[in-house]
Amino acid sequence: MAKKTVATLQGTSKRLSKAIKMVKSPKTGAYTFVEAIMDPTKVNEFLDKN
């Protein structure tokens, strides 16, 4: 039987947000998605970056 990962993370859990940004490649013009998991206070900084 597999162990549950949730049980080991409950003691040190912290509130996090997942931010997904669509970025256009300068070479090909295709769009790619950049994902990051971070503190909710830093989400706007991540989205404002080029």
Side-chain angles (χ1 to χ4, degrees), residues 2-18:
K3 293 183 180 180
K4 292 185 180 181
T5 309
V6 177
T8 61
L9 295 175
Q10 283 182 348
T12 60
S13 67
K14 185 178 177 184
R15 185 168 174 226
L16 298 173
S17 295
K18 182 177 184 179

Side-chain angles (χ1 to χ4, degrees), residues 21-40:
K21 178 170 56 170
M22 194 165 65
V23 179
K24 188 174 184 177
S25 171
K27 287 185 178 181
T28 63
Y31 285 95
T32 59
F33 292 95
V34 178
E35 298 181 11
I37 298 174
M38 65 192 74
D39 188 42

